[in-house]
Amino acid sequence: MATSLKVNGTSHQVDLPDDVPLLWVLRDEVGLTGTKFGCGVAACGACTVHIDGEAVRSCQVTLSDVWGDVTTIEGIGSPDAMATIQQAWVDHQVAQCGYCQSGQIMQAAALLAENPDPTDTDIDDAMQGNLCRCGTYPRIRAAIQDAALKLKEV
């Protein structure tokens, strides 16, 4: 039975079992590969996307449990028109290997949407479920702080 879902503003019909994780729907059916598989148990954050603005681990949300519009890293900006948080990532040279970065950025974007003036503690608390094997946490925090300042100017 086909299921309808809206991803990055575009409606998609997928004919998959209800228990397929959203991560694989996005990557294999919709063709959006910016969302990464990291652990499969919601422990690393590499697969973070937004559902109705809420950061969720797409490896643990099944197709039947998607409750609203999905936004992936591809939906918040592009190389030619980056979102403020993406530009801050570039400005602070956050990425090393880059594997976790889409999940990190999606988590940070959700934080800033909910709390436009986060403290270091707010940032650490919000980002604690997103792991970076390269250890770029100080640059992640700096990028989030910079994005928060730039978003206030808008």
Side-chain angles (χ1 to χ4, degrees):
M1 178 185 217
T3 302
S4 178
L5 71 156
K6 188 177 274 190
V7 181
N8 299 333
T10 302
S11 293
H12 297 271
Q13 293 288 331
V14 295
D15 191 13
L16 296 168
D18 287 345
D19 63 349
V20 172
L22 177 60
L23 171 64
W24 301 118
V25 174
L26 295 170
R27 291 182 61 82
D28 295 343
E29 292 295 315
V30 180
L32 298 172
T33 58
T35 304
K36 304 300 183 195
F37 174 79
C39 66
V41 295
C44 73
C47 67
T48 303
V49 299
H50 297 170
I51 300 179
D52 281 347
E54 179 184 344
V56 300
R57 306 303 187 246
S58 63
C59 70
Q60 293 296 298
V61 176
T62 63
L63 181 57
S64 64
D65 289 335
V66 174
W67 61 88
D69 293 353
V70 177
T71 305
T72 69
I73 189 71
E74 293 92 344
I76 66 167
S78 69
D80 296 330
M82 285 191 261
T84 302
I85 190 66
Q86 290 172 308
Q87 186 61 57
W89 238 249
V90 172
D91 293 346
H92 289 271
Q93 299 179 9
V94 173
Q96 281 189 9
C97 83
Y99 196 82
C100 70
Q101 297 308 303
S102 61
Q104 298 276 2
I105 291 169
M106 295 304 289
Q107 186 69 42
L111 165 65
L112 292 174
E114 183 179 314
N115 180 355
D117 193 23
T119 64
D120 284 350
T121 300
D122 295 334
I123 293 169
D124 293 346
D125 289 347
M127 301 301 292
Q128 71 180 347
N130 291 75
L131 304 180
C132 175
R133 290 179 56 180
C134 300
T136 65
Y137 300 111
R139 287 185 269 171
I140 290 169
R141 186 184 303 122
I144 294 170
Q145 291 167 335
D146 187 43
L149 288 173
K150 287 186 172 131
L151 288 167
K152 285 184 202 173
E153 297 170 359
V154 175

